């Protein structure tokens, strides 16, 4: 039984392991203006447009989730802000805020943020995540394969000025930004931003060896503790990050450690791709084709039942491993497909 109405009168989706599923991440496009080394290969093939849901179809599916008790929607990608008309989608989804939906947010690489920050704030978005793996312009170009850092930094400034709470996401990459974590931490905390560090996950063929990139956050934390005082705190941002307070800066630092610490037992989320495929777990291949149901049915009933049936199949957890032998991806789809 995936759908229940709780004591508070609010509906909820509950999976077979008793976890309330209240968080939907939506990849609104698989396209991106960057090609980060850990995420995509340089010659990525993107989906044909006909396979991608229209903005209206995305809205219909997201609204079905809200009807079934989703409290938080995160738009991601690919790069969500390169999807044409994304601000229309955001404006439309914002109608659910306060009537079912508690939060609408997005994760962006920041390249287009400067021009959208005010509109995002006006639409009712309160917090966003911006990905930034280095503060050095040349290294930024290297990790993104051709990205420019200046527009990203301008985007962060614009978002802060617009009153958005910004959290930086930094993927810890071996021999790339190990020595720069202090600087990124100070940069974030000086501007009142939280910082979350992420371990690289083995998703999708990237034209390189993942063992070369993988840097366990346990090592990063031990290293940081030689210079900073890190105190565990209970703060939760609705995601899998575990937070500490950095006494020297007064800011919060999160660790997302899918590889060294499995967080599946408290998983509250599912992921919708831009083709309407629902993945019940980032690290498993089982999925539900909601586009087919959406395109073959007029009413909402069939969509609701398809979502409930999918939640009934949510697996207990992922089986990520980064093995030295071969070091290919353990899941063939890219992070840009399921949106991280
Ligand atoms: N383009 C947007 C961005 O970069 O923020 C949103 C999509 S991106 C796929 C979402 C997040 O996933 C980013 O913070 C990115 O750094 C992270 N990411 C991508 N590939 C990853 C991987 N293989 N392992 C861990 N994190 C990854
Ligand atoms: Fe694009 Fe984000 Fe993937 Fe980088 S991490 S290639 S910005 S989708």
């Amino acid at each position: 039984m995936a759908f229940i109405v709780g004591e508070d009168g609010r509906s909820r989706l509950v999976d077979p392991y008793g976890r309330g599923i209240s968080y939907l991440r939506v990849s609104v496009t698989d396209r991106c203006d960057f090609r980060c080394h850990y995420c995509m290969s340089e010659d990525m093939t993107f989906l044909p447009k006909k396979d991608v849901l229209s903005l209206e179809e995305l809205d219909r599916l997201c609204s079905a989730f809200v009807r079934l008790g989703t409290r938080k929607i995160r738009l991601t990608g690919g790069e969500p802000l390169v999807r044409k008309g994304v601000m229309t989608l955001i404006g439309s989804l914002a109608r659910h805020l306060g009537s079912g939906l508690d939060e609408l947010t997005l994760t962006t690489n920041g390249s287009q943020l400067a021009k959208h920050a005010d509109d995002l704030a006006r639409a009712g978005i309160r917090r966003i995540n911006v990905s930034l793996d280095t503060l050095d312009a040349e290294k930024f170009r290297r990790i993104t394969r051709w990205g420019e850092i200046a527009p990203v930094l301008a985007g962060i400034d614009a978002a802060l000025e617009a009153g958005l709470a910004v959290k930086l996401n930094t993927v810890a990459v071996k021999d790339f930004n190990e020595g720069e974590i202090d600087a990124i931490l100070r940069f974030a905390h000086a501007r009142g931003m939280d910082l979350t560090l992420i371990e690289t996950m083995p998703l999708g063929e990237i034209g390189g060896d993942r063992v070369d990139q993988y840097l366990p956050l346990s090592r990063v934390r031990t290293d940081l503790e030689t210079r900073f005082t890190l105190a565990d705190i209970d703060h939760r941002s609705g995601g899998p990050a575990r937070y500490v307070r950095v006494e020297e800066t007064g800011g919060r630092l999160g660790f997302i450690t899918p590889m060294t610490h499995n967080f599946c037992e408290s998983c509250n989320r599912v992921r919708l791709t831009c083709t309407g495929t629902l993945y019940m777990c980032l690290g498993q291949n089982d999925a539900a084709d909601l586009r087919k149901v959406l395109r073959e049915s007029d009413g909402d009933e069939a969509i609701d039942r398809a979502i409930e049936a999918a939640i009934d199949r949510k697996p207990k957890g992922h089986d990520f491993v980064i093995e030295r032998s071969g070091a290919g991806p353990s899941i063939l789809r890219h992070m840009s497909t399921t949106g991280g």
Side-chain angles (χ1 to χ4, degrees):
M1 237 295 262
F3 180 65
I4 61 165
V5 178
E7 281 172 12
D8 56 1
R10 293 180 84 172
S11 49
R12 288 205 304 149
L13 285 166
V14 180
D15 81 356
Y17 301 95
R19 297 171 295 194
I21 307 305
S22 56
Y23 181 5
L24 175 69
R25 298 178 67 112
V26 186
S27 176
V28 298
T29 175
D30 64 326
R31 288 164 198 258
C32 188
D33 48 349
F34 294 166
R35 296 285 183 282
C36 301
H37 272 273
Y38 48 76
C39 181
M40 296 186 185
S41 62
E42 187 163 4
D43 55 352
M44 276 292 282
T45 319
F46 294 109
L47 291 162
K49 290 234 165 67
K50 67 170 179 30
D51 289 349
V52 175
L53 296 183
S54 67
L55 297 173
E56 293 73 20
E57 287 174 321
L58 279 168
D59 187 295
R60 232 180 117 200
L61 280 184
C62 291
S63 300
F65 275 93
V66 175
R67 201 161 52 237
L68 294 172
T70 290
R71 310 271 170 89
K72 174 171 172 176
I73 294 179
R74 178 178 296 281
L75 304 183
T76 169
E79 173 46 38
L81 295 180
V82 302
R83 170 90 198 239
K84 216 168 152 215
V86 71
M87 291 309 298
T88 310
L89 176 67
I90 290 171
S92 168
L93 290 176
R95 74 188 183 281
H96 297 300
L97 286 168
S99 50
L101 193 64
D102 296 336
E103 182 168 25
L104 178 61
T105 182
L106 96 163
T107 298
T108 172
N109 65 22
S111 67
Q112 314 295 314
L113 189 52
K115 61 174 176 274
H116 293 303
D118 283 335
D119 287 341
L120 290 171
R122 262 197 294 274
I125 291 199
R126 297 285 160 260
R127 305 191 295 165
I128 58 168
N129 290 353
V130 180
S131 304
L132 185 65
D133 301 324
T134 175
L135 293 169
D136 179 275
E138 191 278 320
K139 282 171 74 179
F140 188 86
R141 221 168 281 132
R142 204 167 357 123
I143 194 82
T144 58
R145 288 204 177 88
W146 52 65
E148 290 298 327
I149 197 169
V152 176
L153 297 179
I156 292 171
D157 286 344
L160 292 171
E161 269 166 42
L164 297 171
V166 178
K167 180 165 79 67
L168 290 190
N169 281 345
T170 299
V171 175
V173 185
K174 194 166 131 203
D175 298 330
F176 175 74
N177 58 8
E178 261 172 296
E180 233 194 309
I181 306 292
D182 290 19
I184 300 172
L185 181 80
R186 291 188 191 283
F187 171 84
H189 290 180
R191 287 161 183 76
M193 304 187 283
D194 289 351
L195 169 67
T196 298
L197 302 176
I198 308 174
E199 280 174 346
T200 53
M201 291 172 244
L203 294 170
E205 192 49 65
I206 51 168
D209 190 335
R210 295 235 178 234
V211 176
D212 291 345
Q213 304 184 335
Y214 177 59
L215 171 60
L217 286 184
S218 48
R219 195 164 104 197
V220 175
R221 182 172 175 155
T222 307
D223 177 54
L224 282 173
E225 280 173 332
T226 63
R227 295 177 302 284
F228 296 97
T229 318
L230 310 183
D232 288 313
I233 51 173
D234 279 340
H235 174 76
R236 300 304 301 267
S237 55
R242 298 287 182 278
Y243 283 89
V244 297
R245 166 97 41 212
V246 182
E247 283 186 15
E248 289 74 7
T249 60
R252 277 191 298 242
L253 172 64
F255 296 90
I256 299 186
T257 55
M259 308 307 295
T260 54
H261 169 250
N262 195 319
F263 44 57
C264 303
E265 65 281 358
S266 59
C267 184
N268 60 352
R269 75 208 51 203
V270 287
R271 294 173 160 87
L272 183 67
T273 72
C274 61
T275 57
T277 303
L278 185 72
Y279 285 97
M280 285 70 82
C281 174
L282 181 63
Q284 299 283 358
N285 286 320
D286 186 29
D289 181 2
L290 298 183
R291 182 181 63 188
K292 188 166 185 303
V293 185
L294 183 76
R295 290 187 176 168
E296 287 174 2
S297 65
D298 293 333
D300 295 331
E301 188 62 24
I303 299 171
D304 291 7
R305 295 297 83 79
I307 293 172
E308 286 169 26
I311 300 297
D312 268 337
R313 301 205 312 267
K314 185 168 162 68
K316 197 166 178 195
H318 69 66
D319 323 302
F320 287 141
V321 249
I322 293 184
E323 286 173 3
R324 198 148 279 284
S325 56
S330 62
I331 292 286
L332 286 175
R333 65 182 183 276
H334 290 87
M335 190 72 120
S336 50
T337 307
T338 24

